[in-house]
Amino acid sequence: MKDVIIVGAGLMGSALAHQCARLGLDTMLIEAGSAGGAGATAHSRGIVRVYDPHPELMSWAVRGVREWSNWTLPGPSPFVACGLYYCVRQANREASLAALSGHDHAQYPIHVLPASSPALPPELRHLVEAGGIVLHEPLAGYVDTRLAARLFVQSAKEHGAQVLEGSTVLRVGADRESAQVMLAHATLRARRVVLAAGAATPSLAQVPGMYCRSIPLSSVRSPAKAVPAHCIIDEVSGGYIRPDGSEFLFAGGALQHDAASHQQLFFDLPGAGARNAELAQHLTGTQAMQLLDTRPGYDGYTPDFLPHIGPSPDDQRIVLATGFSGRGAKYIPAVAVELARQLAAKSPAGVPA
């Protein structure tokens, strides 16, 4: 019998498998497709930053940025520290300043820039509302979630974990002795089963309040190779961009749709692509942008954007690690560290903020 079986090899499941195996737990990771190749991980472009309007998520982001910045696994680092400008609307100015209290320090500076600040790039000034501010995180950046998932899986294997790719979990359950994972022709047992299957998790266990939301993301080209070197998030327009070299960027912020499951989501990819391209033009201050394509991304969401981390309502032996609400890339490695420690201590009671 395994110590832990993890269902789902997206960023959360793969990071957790790495941490559990590193702590000496007899670990198995099961993925219906390939590691990092489905769900939110497949489409995410992983902007990593500290500031978040939600204080608990901001606390997690502090720890998450530290994990990404101190990446030590062999191979190329999946994290690129390109910097980020976060444009805060005037109505949220005071709340953002209060949230930043205690988070701006020498190891991770966060600069508060009014529109008149000489430190604010001129091409961003049109994004600042009267009375609004821009938060500059020079050490923020983005992560290649697919590469990170594969590197986590490789590390888990090197620490003795077993990884089953291409195996679909049909059901999970538990009795007085163990938790069970049912495959097509066999049942596997473990002391704990962790469901890290993203938006698909509710098909295997109760996840209170969780639903699915579309995240249409577009690839956009700058023929003039004038893509900003940094990420930009704008509260007023709802748009965001992430660079991919000087010629290409990823843009998001188009209308999202909700559904009970990802199979039921509605995607207007042409409309979303047009809107994302418009946002890319707005955020970069240039009209010379060419839409390339739009991806039907999605994630499992919760009403308060906080993830479900801890025992399932179904049984204490079934643990949830899901509901990252489109914001998980920046802090999932920190959650994995804490949850693995709890699993090793045999007390996954929910990860504290």
Side-chain angles (χ1 to χ4, degrees):
M1 182 167 64
K2 298 292 180 185
D3 290 324
V4 58
I5 295 176
I6 301 163
V7 179
L11 187 59
M12 180 65 226
S14 61
L16 182 60
H18 155 69
Q19 293 293 346
C20 287
R22 191 178 64 83
L23 291 178
L25 295 176
D26 189 356
T27 303
M28 174 177 282
L29 176 63
I30 304 177
E31 166 58 43
S34 58
T41 301
H43 295 290
S44 171
R45 290 305 180 265
I47 295 178
V48 173
R49 67 187 195 276
V50 162
Y51 176 70
D52 192 288
H54 198 297
E56 287 189 54
L57 293 182
M58 189 165 168
S59 295
W60 273 115
V62 170
R63 298 163 67 177
V65 168
R66 188 181 306 125
E67 291 291 325
W68 287 124
S69 300
N70 296 327
W71 183 269
T72 59
L73 294 185
S77 172
F79 177 63
V80 176
C82 65
L84 172 137
Y85 290 90
Y86 187 107
C87 302
V88 180
R89 64 190 318 156
Q90 190 277 334
N92 297 336
R93 173 188 172 118
E94 296 308 315
S96 67
L97 292 175
L100 285 175
S101 176
H103 287 289
D104 180 15
H105 51 78
Q107 290 74 29
Y108 192 92
I110 300 178
H111 308 299
V112 179
L113 308 176
S116 59
S117 171
L120 183 66
E123 63 271 19
L124 296 182
R125 296 188 190 282
H126 70 285
L127 300 178
V128 188
E129 284 187 324
I133 54 174
V134 176
L135 307 180
H136 178 213
E137 300 185 29
L139 300 182
Y142 62 86
V143 62
D144 183 336
T145 53
R146 292 149 302 285
L147 173 61
R150 294 193 294 270
L151 293 173
F152 279 136
V153 167
Q154 181 60 34
S155 173
K157 289 179 178 179
E158 291 172 356
H159 283 87
Q162 293 179 304
V163 179
L164 296 180
E165 295 183 86
S167 295
T168 299
V169 173
L170 302 179
R171 296 186 309 280
V172 297
D175 57 28
R176 288 182 296 178
E177 298 179 352
S178 66
Q180 299 97 40
V181 171
M182 280 69 88
L183 305 179
H185 301 291
T187 296
L188 305 175
R189 293 179 176 271
R191 291 180 175 83
R192 294 284 192 279
V193 168
V194 179
L195 299 181
T201 303
S203 67
L204 297 172
Q206 294 185 64
V207 187
M210 187 166 142
Y211 58 96
C212 195
R213 174 170 289 177
S214 64
I215 311 175
L217 187 71
S218 298
S219 182
V220 179
R221 174 175 176 260
S222 168
K225 298 185 178 180
V227 170
H230 43 260
C231 299
I232 301 173
I233 299 176
D234 178 33
E235 286 189 347
V236 176
S237 67
Y240 55 92
I241 61 171
R242 191 273 258 181
D244 190 29
S246 62
E247 187 175 358
F248 300 95
L249 60 79
F250 296 98
L255 182 65
Q256 297 175 281
H257 299 277
D258 297 343
S261 68
H262 67 276
Q263 296 94 336
Q264 299 172 327
L265 279 174
F266 169 76
F267 285 95
D268 172 17
L269 294 183
R275 175 56 177 162
N276 284 340
E278 181 181 85
L279 288 167
Q281 293 171 347
H282 174 62
L283 296 182
T284 60
T286 175
Q287 296 300 308
M289 288 287 172
Q290 178 187 14
L291 176 65
L292 300 181
D293 57 41
T294 301
R295 300 94 191 277
Y298 60 87
D299 200 5
Y301 274 68
T302 64
D304 58 6
F305 299 109
L306 293 175
H308 286 287
I309 309 293
S312 161
D314 298 322
D315 192 278
Q316 294 289 307
R317 294 177 181 82
I318 299 172
V319 179
L320 302 176
T322 189
F324 290 97
S325 305
R327 305 183 183 190
K330 60 186 177 183
Y331 68 92
I332 276 176
V335 172
V337 169
E338 187 62 35
L339 183 54
R341 288 173 180 165
Q342 293 190 5
L343 291 166
K346 300 180 176 60
S347 59
V351 177

